[in-house]
């Protein structure tokens, strides 16, 4: 005689699986952002508290790209468009932002590094990104970013030939951002 296999799934397990999947879907964005910050995946620069102890005689040109999202009447410029630094050397760059509009506005800057493979080696010591900045009409503000390129970049097969890195910043209007994401 053949034995019948009873295949019942307890409804409690289905509800539990549903809530686990729901929780994972909500946690996926912050977990992905954390993963990118830690690993530099997708061109996300890492944040570091201190500079490396070694400077290598290997130059890389760092380019600075500044952008302002549509509808934000700000002018955003880097002190210089590019600089040539040695790997491991700490460099500081000044950015200036001016509100060209007639109203007070608040914006947040985001950033990215190209090529993506350089992201995990591009380290910021100080930065103004992801912080809300409010400017009154015609007001200007200066921001300073300190960074270095980790000496391990020359050991990695996917990045050791990199000669140019572009750091791109974009300011987004907080009011428009909230409208889009609500």
């Amino acid at each position: 005689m053949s034995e019948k296999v009873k295949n019942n799934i307890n409804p409690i397990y289905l509800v539990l699986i549903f809530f686990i999947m729901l929780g994972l879907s909500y946690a996926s964005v912050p977990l992905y952002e954390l993963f990118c910050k830690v690993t530099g995946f997708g061109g996300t620069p890492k944040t570091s508290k201190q500079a490396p102890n070694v400077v290598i005689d290997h130059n890389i040109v760092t380019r600075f790209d500044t952008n302002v999202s549509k509808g934000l009447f700000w002018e955003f410029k880097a002190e210089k468009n590019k600089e040539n630094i040695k790997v491991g050397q700490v460099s500081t760059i000044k950015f200036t932002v001016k509100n060209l509009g007639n109203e007070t506005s608040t914006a947040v800057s985001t950033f990215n590094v190209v090529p993506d493979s350089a992201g995990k080696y591009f380290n910021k010591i100080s930065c103004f990104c992801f912080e809300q900045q409010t400017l009154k009409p015609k007001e200007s503000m200066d921001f300073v970013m300190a960074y270095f390129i980790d000496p391990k970049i020359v050991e990695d097969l996917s990045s050791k030939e990199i000669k140019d890195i572009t750091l791109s910043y974009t300011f987004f209007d907080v009011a428009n951002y909230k409208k889009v994401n609500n």
Side-chain angles (χ1 to χ4, degrees):
M1 286 189 181
S2 67
E3 207 174 298
K4 278 190 171 180
V5 177
K6 199 171 183 182
N7 199 5
N8 286 339
I9 297 176
N10 191 335
I12 293 173
Y13 290 132
L14 290 175
V15 171
L16 183 63
I17 290 170
F18 170 78
F19 282 110
I20 289 171
M21 297 299 285
L22 184 66
L24 287 173
S25 68
Y26 277 104
S28 64
V29 172
L31 289 174
Y32 180 74
E33 287 176 358
L34 177 64
F35 172 77
C36 289
K37 284 180 184 177
V38 170
T39 65
F41 181 76
T44 303
K46 293 167 67 175
T47 303
S48 183
K49 295 191 192 293
Q50 70 181 59
N53 296 329
V54 64
V55 175
I56 298 174
D57 191 23
H58 177 87
N59 291 332
I60 293 183
V61 174
T62 306
R63 299 179 192 285
F64 303 101
D65 176 44
T66 56
N67 304 284
V68 177
S69 70
K70 185 177 177 181
L72 182 63
F73 301 107
W74 286 17
E75 179 180 75
F76 180 34
K77 294 181 179 178
E79 171 182 51
K80 48 191 165 185
N81 292 332
K82 66 180 179 177
E83 70 178 346
N84 196 3
I85 68 166
K86 294 188 183 307
V87 172
Q89 172 188 347
V90 175
S91 184
T92 303
I93 178 112
K94 183 173 87 172
F95 294 86
T96 302
V97 178
K98 182 176 183 179
N99 182 353
L100 303 174
N102 295 322
E103 296 180 11
T104 298
S105 58
T106 302
V108 172
S109 67
T110 61
F111 58 85
N112 196 15
V113 170
V114 176
D116 289 349
S117 60
K120 63 183 169 183
Y121 301 108
F122 195 98
N123 287 265
K124 293 194 222 173
I125 297 173
S126 66
C127 179
F128 54 93
C129 43
F130 300 118
E131 297 172 0
Q132 289 190 9
Q133 311 297 338
T134 301
L135 295 175
K136 295 175 184 169
K138 312 305 180 212
E139 181 181 17
S140 292
M141 195 177 290
D142 292 332
F143 300 104
V144 176
M145 189 230 3
Y147 74 99
F148 67 90
I149 299 167
D150 192 320
K152 292 178 185 171
I153 195 169
V154 297
E155 299 168 9
D156 187 339
L157 294 176
S158 68
S159 62
K160 72 178 187 176
E161 299 298 322
I162 292 175
K163 302 208 181 328
D164 294 279
I165 297 175
T166 300
L167 174 67
S168 182
Y169 273 108
T170 303
F171 265 105
F172 292 93
D173 185 354
V174 171
N176 287 340
Y177 180 77
K178 287 179 181 176
K179 285 179 195 172
V180 170
N181 291 311
N182 285 335

